[in-house]
């Protein structure tokens, strides 16, 4: 099982670790700050460095409860101590985009005053998207943007909440009413259950990397809306 450093501290950019599995063109480490592709957030990239060697990390993925780092070139042997360096510029944009995505979901629910379902999402360092089961008109976009801007200016704290007891997790989510996310079977199968709480705004089960507070989202833009049919609207957005 790989220790996920980013789970508790998403601001770790460099870390020391040991190679526990050396595979053709890939390594498993005992701990990692690299984010493995999941939940609509793309994999981190970067590099690992060790005595006498260095390799680019191209892609990172879960395999069961282990994290596999696909690298360029030959993998260092088992037992090697390495330093991992996350491509921070890219990751930080993804963190800003991910917290912005949670604010976007909350703003849509605030505007419509109901728990509008999110039916898909994809984050990217340059542009992201979120699909809502709702008719969102062009003129709604400006209103949604205003709500988010206000929350960014208020610089609300973003907390990583970890729960061993699903009942406590459920209580936190229910306390947020229409702004509380749902626990799926997948969430319930894991311990701890991880919930991202944007204090006073919303709480949502999420394994992704988030900012410490909403002020760090900074400048952003809701690029456009697209009707995807069947009552689904896609909103494209980006951090600037
Ligand atoms: Zn999330």
């Amino acid at each position: 099982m790989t220790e996920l450093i980013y789970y508790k501290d998403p601001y770790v950019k460099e870390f020391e670790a040991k190679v526990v599995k050396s595979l053709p063109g890939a390594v498993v480490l005992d701990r990692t700050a690299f984010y493995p592709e999941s939940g609509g957030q793309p994999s981190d990239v970067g590099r690992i460095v060790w005595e006498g060697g260095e390799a680019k990390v191209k892609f990172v993925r879960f395999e069961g409860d282990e994290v596999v780092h696909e690298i360029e070139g030959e993998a260092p042997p088992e037992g090697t101590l390495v330093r991992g360096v996350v491509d921070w510029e890219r990751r930080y944009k993804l963190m800003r985009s991910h917290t912005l995505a949670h604010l976007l979901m909350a703003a849509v629910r605030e505007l419509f005053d109901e728990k509008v379902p999110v039916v898909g999402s994809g984050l990217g360092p340059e542009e992201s998207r979120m699909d809502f089961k709702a008719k969102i008109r062009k003129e709604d976009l400006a209103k949604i943007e205003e709500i988010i801007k206000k929350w960014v200016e208020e610089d609300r704290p973003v907390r990583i909440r970890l729960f061993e007891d699903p009942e406590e997790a459920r209580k936190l989510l229910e306390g947020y009413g229409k702004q509380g996310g749902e626990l799926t079977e997948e969430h319930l199968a894991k311990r701890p259950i991880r919930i991202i709480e944007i204090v006073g705004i919303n709480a949502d089960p999420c394994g992704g990397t988030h900012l410490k507070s909403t002020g760090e989202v900074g400048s952003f833009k809701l690029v456009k809306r697209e009707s995807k049919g069947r009552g689904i609207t896609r909103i494209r957005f980006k951090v600037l």
Side-chain angles (χ1 to χ4, degrees):
M1 181 174 175
T2 310
E3 183 199 334
L4 308 176
I5 299 169
Y6 67 83
Y7 220 59
K8 286 181 181 157
D9 187 357
Y11 284 83
V12 174
K13 307 170 183 72
E14 290 194 29
F15 63 98
E16 310 281 334
K18 196 161 86 181
V19 177
V20 292
K21 264 187 208 168
S22 180
L23 310 159
V27 286
V28 175
L29 306 174
D30 61 344
R31 58 204 295 267
T32 190
F34 283 97
Y35 186 81
E37 181 179 69
S38 51
Q41 182 177 331
S43 149
D44 281 335
V45 297
R47 60 200 167 93
I48 53 169
V49 187
W50 64 95
E51 214 182 300
E54 176 167 351
K56 241 189 194 164
V57 175
K58 298 182 295 184
F59 186 72
V60 184
R61 60 184 160 82
F62 276 114
E63 211 172 273
D65 55 9
E66 286 185 332
V67 177
V68 177
H69 304 71
E70 293 180 6
I71 61 172
E72 231 163 57
E74 219 169 296
E78 208 178 294
T80 306
L81 295 175
V82 301
R83 188 160 55 87
V85 183
V86 175
D87 177 340
W88 187 252
E89 201 182 318
R90 181 174 183 280
R91 154 70 94 71
Y92 191 59
K93 271 191 193 166
L94 287 166
M95 283 164 69
R96 290 174 59 212
S97 302
H98 203 148
T99 301
L100 175 58
H102 283 218
L103 289 174
L104 171 61
M105 176 171 71
V108 169
R109 289 173 176 179
E110 171 103 353
L111 183 70
F112 287 85
D113 194 26
E114 63 176 299
K115 199 172 196 160
V116 176
V118 172
V119 292
S121 73
L123 300 175
E126 302 311 326
E127 196 178 279
S128 305
R129 60 177 168 77
M130 192 172 260
D131 297 342
F132 293 93
K133 182 100 185 127
K135 263 214 162 83
I136 302 171
R137 298 161 307 166
K138 193 164 178 256
E139 52 270 37
D140 294 326
L141 271 198
K143 289 182 204 158
I144 295 165
E145 203 167 77
E146 276 314 302
I147 296 170
I148 301 172
K149 266 196 187 136
K150 187 177 94 141
W151 287 335
V152 170
E153 274 162 25
E154 288 170 358
D155 197 19
R156 304 278 188 116
V158 180
R159 291 192 190 136
I160 300 169
R161 307 285 307 265
L162 300 171
F163 295 95
E164 292 299 329
D165 179 0
E167 276 318 302
E168 281 183 35
R170 198 166 274 141
K171 239 184 255 168
L172 172 69
L173 295 171
E174 282 172 6
Y176 273 96
K178 66 174 184 286
Q179 295 291 11
E182 305 287 341
L183 286 172
T184 63
E185 291 296 317
E186 202 186 331
H187 297 128
L188 289 167
K190 271 190 210 152
R191 290 294 179 279
I193 295 169
R194 191 174 186 263
I195 291 174
I196 298 299
E197 179 185 15
I198 305 180
V199 175
I201 296 172
N202 77 342
D204 207 49
C206 177
T209 57
H210 282 269
L211 303 169
K212 286 194 290 282
S213 67
T214 58
E216 284 188 41
V217 169
S219 308
F220 69 93
K221 189 174 166 49
L222 302 186
V223 181
K224 62 170 168 173
R225 51 144 326 270
E226 295 160 17
S227 176
K228 304 302 285 179
R230 301 186 319 278
I232 293 167
T233 312
R234 170 168 294 176
I235 295 182
R236 293 189 181 273
F237 57 99
K238 64 195 293 183
V239 291
L240 302 172

